Amino acid sequence: MSSTTEYIIHHLTFDNVYFNGMSNSKFWTLHLDTFCMSLALGFIFLLIFSLVAKRARVENPNKLQLFIELILELVSSQVKDIYHGESKIIGPLSLTIFCWIFLMNLMDMLPVDLANWIFLHSTFIHEKHWRLVPSADVNTTFAMSISVFILIIIFSLKSKGFLGWIKELFSTPFGIKMAPFNLILQVIELLAKPLSLSLRLFGNMYAGELVFILIALLPWHVQWLLGGPWVIFHILIITLQAYLFMVLTIVYLSLAKESH
Amino acid sequence: MEINATLLGEIITFAILVLFTLKFVWPPLNKMLEERAEKIASGLAAAEKGKLELQNAENRILEELNHAQVRVTEIIKNAERRADDIILSAKNKALKESEKIITESKLQIEQEYMRAKEHLRTQVAGLVIQGAQQILKVEVDVKRHEAILADIITKI
């Protein structure tokens, strides 16, 4: 039983790297696995998309370009439907969110023991722990939701001005007479947005990963029985979560722009 | 749930990704899509224009055809009328000619007849005189019996 627990804990431990002279500080630690995986996936996304964008042809597009256009149309149609008005950043932001999260979630499709197997057989990399799914790290999801949170505030300030935004914080939804109550409600609402965004994604991916680890603990001849359906189901989940994060970001930003 | 410096790293990564997309991915792709939409729209408009022109040309052809048909019937009618006229005038001319020929031949026949009659008369007169000479056994003096002879000749 202890080996089972060890196995699970081993698979849920990040590859921690401590900054120079900060080895006793809890904050100044880097999850090297999360950071490297997300960076690599982000660059894969940028590489593919910028190459396609550079060679984009109006006529006779190849299959890759058509696929990229499909994704672009999906994102830009959502942006056009939800966000009314002109914004230079919201389209690229949504596209980046969708593709990056999707790619990070996709890492859940890799076998849970792949990293350990590679380290066991590799001659030059010898990390003890390596988690493959960056979006199952709360740091990644919070990084994105905090960025979105900052953008929400920037969008509010841009469309209402500083005083207008402050006024809105105190006067809606119950009028200026209930100012403190309004403020509490508004702050909760504001803080709930990034929290719900990041925790939803993190929770889904973490749970998915955990289920895969548990399936990996089963005897090999019954693993397919649970692993197969769960992988198929998870294809849906990872796409849905990426899509949801994107759509909610657009919704929050459009709410921030419009006055209540 | 350990929040640490990874958060900062991820924020920086995210910002870089978004900025790169904003600068190098979104604008060219969108521009291309817009260009394509424009091209499709102009192509459709051109097709519509072509269709309209074709319709116009077909209408014109039909009009021209009708016009030609009308002219053809007119020409045919004229020709028929002309032919009728020609036939009629030819008939009249022929009729006149034939009448003329007939009168002329009648005249000629009459003349011929008169000449023959005259000829016969003189011959008969000769014969009568010869007969009379033989009967009388004398020569008839033509000068003396000229009046009688002339009377006989007219009676024949």
Side-chain angles (χ1 to χ4, degrees):
Chain A
M1 201 61 215
S2 70
S3 74
T4 306
T5 318
E6 263 169 35
Y7 180 83
I8 294 172
I9 288 171
H10 177 259
H11 276 80
L12 291 179
T13 307
F14 289 105
D15 185 23
N16 287 313
V17 175
Y18 301 99
F19 287 87
N20 276 343
M22 301 276 193
S23 59
N24 49 359
S25 160
K26 234 180 156 194
F27 182 77
W28 290 108
T29 323
L30 186 72
H31 293 161
L32 195 66
D33 41 7
T34 300
F35 189 70
C36 287
M37 290 299 285
S38 61
L39 200 66
L41 291 167
F43 281 148
I44 287 171
F45 154 67
L46 288 186
L47 194 73
I48 294 172
F49 270 70
S50 56
L51 271 182
V52 169
K54 210 172 176 184
R55 293 178 191 168
R57 286 178 299 179
V58 174
E59 274 170 52
N60 300 328
N62 57 24
K63 280 177 184 168
L64 180 65
Q65 191 189 328
L66 284 176
F67 179 64
I68 299 300
E69 281 173 22
L70 197 77
I71 297 171
L72 199 78
E73 285 288 320
L74 173 88
V75 174
S76 67
S77 73
Q78 286 301 326
V79 171
K80 272 177 202 150
D81 282 350
I82 301 169
Y83 188 87
H84 303 292
E86 286 293 313
S87 171
K88 260 176 99 173
I89 196 168
I90 191 155
L93 176 78
S94 309
L95 181 67
T96 311
I97 286 175
F98 180 69
C99 293
W100 198 33
I101 293 180
F102 178 77
L103 285 174
M104 290 195 290
N105 290 355
L106 196 64
M107 295 301 105
D108 229 358
M109 299 285 117
L110 296 175
V112 284
D113 282 319
L114 181 70
N116 293 322
W117 184 83
I118 288 172
F119 295 145
L120 204 67
H121 292 83
S122 169
T123 47
F124 54 93
I125 324 171
H126 292 289
E127 299 295 325
K128 206 156 175 286
H129 306 282
W130 193 269
R131 286 183 66 176
L132 288 166
V133 194
S135 52
D137 184 349
V138 85
N139 287 300
T140 310
T141 63
F142 263 114
M144 269 185 287
S145 69
I146 286 169
S147 306
V148 171
F149 179 71
I150 292 167
L151 280 173
I152 287 174
I153 290 170
I154 290 174
F155 270 58
S156 295
L157 290 177
K158 239 180 156 178
S159 74
K160 296 157 198 163
F162 181 70
L163 286 175
W165 186 54
I166 295 291
K167 194 185 157 226
E168 191 185 278
L169 283 183
F170 282 102
S171 62
T172 42
F174 297 119
I176 197 73
K177 281 178 196 161
M178 303 273 276
F181 196 59
N182 286 336
L183 183 65
I184 292 167
L185 259 181
Q186 288 277 352
V187 167
I188 289 173
E189 198 190 323
L190 209 59
L191 292 178
K193 282 168 183 171
L195 265 175
S196 71
L197 268 184
S198 58
L199 289 180
R200 178 184 304 111
L201 179 60
F202 165 73
N204 270 283
M205 297 331 291
Y206 188 83
E209 199 185 15
L210 197 62
V211 171
F212 277 124
I213 293 167
L214 292 177
I215 289 168
L217 283 167
L218 292 171
W220 64 269
H221 52 272
V222 286
Q223 277 183 12
W224 63 273
L225 201 67
L226 288 168
W230 183 244
V231 165
I232 293 165
F233 181 61
H234 217 61
I235 291 172
L236 195 77
I237 301 262
I238 61 174
T239 320
L240 193 73
Q241 287 306 318
Y243 184 72
L244 218 64
F245 202 111
M246 177 193 81
V247 170
L248 284 174
T249 302
I250 304 169
V251 169
Y252 291 159
L253 289 180
S254 78
L255 279 177
K257 188 188 66 106
E258 284 155 18
S259 51
H260 291 275
Chain B
M1 288 277 280
E2 49 222 292
I3 298 281
N4 53 31
T6 315
L7 179 74
L8 301 177
E10 294 292 82
I11 287 178
I12 292 165
T13 309
F14 185 53
I16 289 168
L17 293 181
V18 171
L19 287 177
F20 193 90
T21 310
L22 180 72
K23 206 148 175 76
F24 298 110
V25 174
W26 191 263
L29 279 175
N30 250 11
K31 202 179 132 216
M32 188 272 299
L33 285 177
E34 266 164 29
E35 243 170 68
R36 183 181 296 161
E38 223 164 78
K39 208 163 188 177
I40 288 171
S42 68
L44 282 176
E48 195 65 33
K49 207 175 142 201
K51 228 163 105 184
L52 210 75
E53 262 167 24
L54 185 70
Q55 187 73 44
N56 277 348
E58 270 174 1
N59 282 347
R60 227 167 34 233
I61 286 167
L62 223 67
E63 211 172 279
E64 206 80 357
L65 218 66
N66 278 341
H67 194 67
Q69 214 139 32
V70 166
R71 274 203 60 192
V72 162
T73 34
E74 206 174 289
I75 286 168
I76 287 172
K77 224 192 267 170
N78 277 350
E80 272 173 357
R81 204 183 300 146
R82 192 81 174 278
D84 280 352
D85 279 0
I86 287 169
I87 287 168
L88 207 70
S89 68
K91 237 186 207 166
N92 285 343
K93 222 167 150 189
L95 218 66
K96 241 184 247 170
E97 196 74 13
S98 70
E99 270 169 13
K100 203 172 140 198
I101 287 169
I102 286 168
T103 35
E104 266 177 11
S105 16
K106 265 184 186 163
L107 214 72
Q108 225 168 4
I109 288 166
E110 214 162 309
Q111 273 174 3
E112 210 68 27
Y113 171 71
M114 283 308 231
R115 205 178 298 150
K117 212 170 149 187
E118 200 68 29
H119 188 62
L120 272 175
R121 201 183 276 168
T122 40
Q123 264 188 346
V124 169
L127 279 174
V128 168
I129 290 168
Q130 258 180 348
Q133 271 177 348
Q134 274 175 5
I135 294 165
L136 294 173
K137 297 277 194 212
V138 277
E139 210 170 318
V140 177
D141 190 359
V142 179
K143 275 177 190 156
R144 265 175 61 194
H145 306 286
E146 208 171 357
I148 303 163
L149 280 170
D151 189 43
I152 292 167
I153 285 165
T154 46
K155 272 184 187 156
I156 293 168

